[in-house]
Structures are given as C-alpha cells and as structure tokens.
Amino acid sequence: MTTVRGARARARDEVTAAIKDEARRQLAAEGAAKLSLRAVARELGMVSSALYRYFPSRDDLLTALIVDAYDALGAAAEAALRATGAAFPVGAPAAAPVTSGTGESTATRATPGAGASAASPGPAAPGASTAPGAPPTAGASDPADPQVTPRGRWVVVCRAVREWAKAHPHEYALIYGSPVPGYSAPQATVAPASRAAHVLLAVLREAHRTDGVAPPPLAADLRAEGERLAAELAPDLPPALVLAFVGAWCQLFGLVSFEVFGHFHRVVEDPEAFFTHAADRLGRDLGLLR
C-alpha cells in the first residue's frame, strides 16, 4: 500500500508540475489576465473536470504560480547572500513590505503560528529552485573582497534580484507587474513574498550588529511611522533604518521594473553598470558604511 501511495503521489506531482509549466507558457504568450484552466487542460490533453481536481479555480492556479515565483526570487536572494560567506539565519520570515503584482497588498504579517521570527529571514522553501544570476562563491571568504562588506553584500543581493527578474520576466511581471482583474492575493502568498526582503534585512542586521551602518536621521514628522514599521517588520533595528529600508526596497524594484519592462530603452545604454551604481547608492543612503 505504501508503494502504491508513493506512486500516486509522484504521479500527482508530475501532473501538477505539467499544469504549472503550461500555465507559465500561457502567461508568457497571453498574460495573467487571460489564463484559462480550460485552455491549460486542452493543451495537456486533459478534460477540464480532471484539471479541477488539482486546481479548483483559476485563482488557485494563479496563487500557486505567484508562490512559486516569490519562492524562486527569494531563493536566488538567499543563495546570493550565502555566496558571500554570510551565515544566513534559519527560520521563516515574519513580515516584509511587499505588494503582489495583483495590485492587492499581501499584508505585512505572517499568520499566527507560522513559526516566524521577525529577526530571522527564512530558508529556501522545500522544492524552491535557485534562480539564475546568483554570484559565484570565489573569494567569498577573503576579508579584502568587497562582497563581504555590508554594502558589498547589499549590492550582491540586489544584483541577484535583478538577474532573476531578467531571466524570468513573465514570472516577475506576475508578482510585480499589472494587477490581474478579479484576483485578490490570499494569505498564503505573504511568507513567500517576504523572503527577498528578509535577505536584505539580514544584511542590515549584520551591519547593525557590527557597527557597520549609520542610519540616516529620522524626521520628526515620520517618527511615528518609523516606530510602527520597526515594530512590525524588524523590532531589533532602529526605526530610522527600517524606514529608510522601506524606501530603498521600493526604489530597488522600481529600478528592476524599469529595466524588465523596457522603460530604459534608448535611455540607459549600460544597464548593468547603471544598476550596480544605483544599488550601491541605495546602500550608502541607508547608511551602510563600506
């Protein structure tokens, strides 16, 4: 019986993967708004009723694709940080200032009982793939390597986010592009959406621990906002640093989106050098000292 159940589980996994692969092909060809379970079933030679046993609705399939995309992006960021020699903490992320590409906020808190700790970014999810673009590990143990400084690590992670987005533009558009009409992101997307943010927060935590960051001053009219964000996202970091991080996070994805969606065409001729300089500037503005 165990062997039979194992075979059935493997078969279900294979069909689920095939459904998601075909759905991603349709995303690339038609966009998320036109994703259709019937069309997916037709291309796979399945009847619609059989596909509904795997994904009861289009929204369920969209959610699975969104979670996969967030997990792959998070895994790429985590791998990039580890490649610099950083010891990435173990534990699921608790929150991050993220918005789903559906246009609906995914919220900033993980559900109670998720085993989350605001001080410990999450590990790669089981089965999550590491996306292209992670930096090589060569030299990561050399203290003279600029990649092992707080600002160097910040730039490395930012570059990994950009490389993943460039390699997976349709998945990136699904999570950071135009809203999908009629779709509202469920709570299940919150923790995966938090992963990349928590990698960058890990860089800031290490810098804060080692006196490698001098946060910018906190304006009086933003003090309450900074304290609220710090309490929700990173209670162990100064409110000024958390507030600056939220701004840097938004600017990072603005830079990535402009490039992925073609808005730099005939404007920026060397996007890689431009992005690296801009990411370094974001780190400087956060107060990362080196």
Side-chain angles (χ1 to χ4, degrees):
M1 291 296 291
T2 301
T3 301
V4 172
R5 283 197 298 271
R8 287 176 177 170
R10 287 193 298 273
R12 183 175 182 85
D13 289 345
E14 290 174 2
V15 174
T16 299
I19 291 170
K20 291 196 288 187
D21 285 345
E22 175 57 28
R24 291 188 187 98
R25 190 196 67 77
Q26 290 192 19
L27 285 180
E30 304 288 344
K34 294 185 178 181
L35 182 63
S36 163
L37 288 185
R38 290 183 180 275
V40 170
R42 182 173 60 250
E43 291 298 321
L44 293 176
M46 299 173 64
V47 295
S48 298
S49 58
L51 191 146
Y52 290 139
R53 291 199 293 269
Y54 294 85
F55 297 100
S57 70
R58 181 210 67 162
D59 284 6
D60 290 310
L61 178 54
L62 268 177
T63 296
L65 297 177
I66 288 168
V67 167
D68 282 354
Y70 276 133
D71 272 334
L73 173 59
E78 291 163 5
L81 181 56
R82 289 194 180 97
T84 69
F88 193 67
V90 175
V98 291
T99 302
S100 154
T102 65
E104 296 288 338
S105 171
T106 59
T108 56
R109 298 182 185 87
T111 53
S117 165
S120 55
S129 61
T130 321
T137 58
S141 60
D142 180 3
D145 188 337
Q147 286 192 350
V148 306
T149 69
R151 196 161 71 238
R153 283 177 169 147
W154 169 273
V155 172
V156 164
V157 175
C158 289
R159 285 171 57 88
V161 169
R162 171 181 177 263
E163 290 301 321
W164 183 88
K166 287 177 57 188
H168 304 85
H170 304 296
E171 287 87 347
Y172 180 83
L174 180 63
I175 54 179
Y176 288 110
S178 299
V180 179
Y183 176 82
S184 180
Q187 189 74 6
T189 62
V190 174
S194 302
R195 287 177 64 171
H198 276 266
V199 178
L200 290 171
L201 282 172
V203 173
L204 298 186
R205 284 192 174 91
E206 178 62 14
H208 181 60
R209 186 184 68 81
T210 58
D211 296 324
V213 62
L218 182 59
D221 59 342
L222 287 175
R223 180 165 299 280
E225 182 72 1
E227 291 174 350
R228 180 190 65 80
L229 285 169
E232 291 188 356
L233 305 179
D236 55 330
L237 293 178
L241 183 57
V242 177
L243 189 68
F245 166 74
V246 173
W249 173 259
C250 296
Q251 291 176 71
L252 167 62
F253 280 90
L255 287 164
V256 172
S257 294
F258 259 61
E259 183 174 357
V260 171
F261 300 144
H263 299 305
F264 282 156
H265 180 59
R266 300 181 67 179
V267 177
V268 175
E269 294 186 353
D270 188 347
E272 183 169 357
F274 178 82
F275 180 88
T276 300
H277 177 82
D280 183 75
R281 172 55 60 186
L282 289 177
R284 290 176 184 267
D285 291 346
L286 280 166
L288 293 170
L289 300 180
R290 53 193 184 276

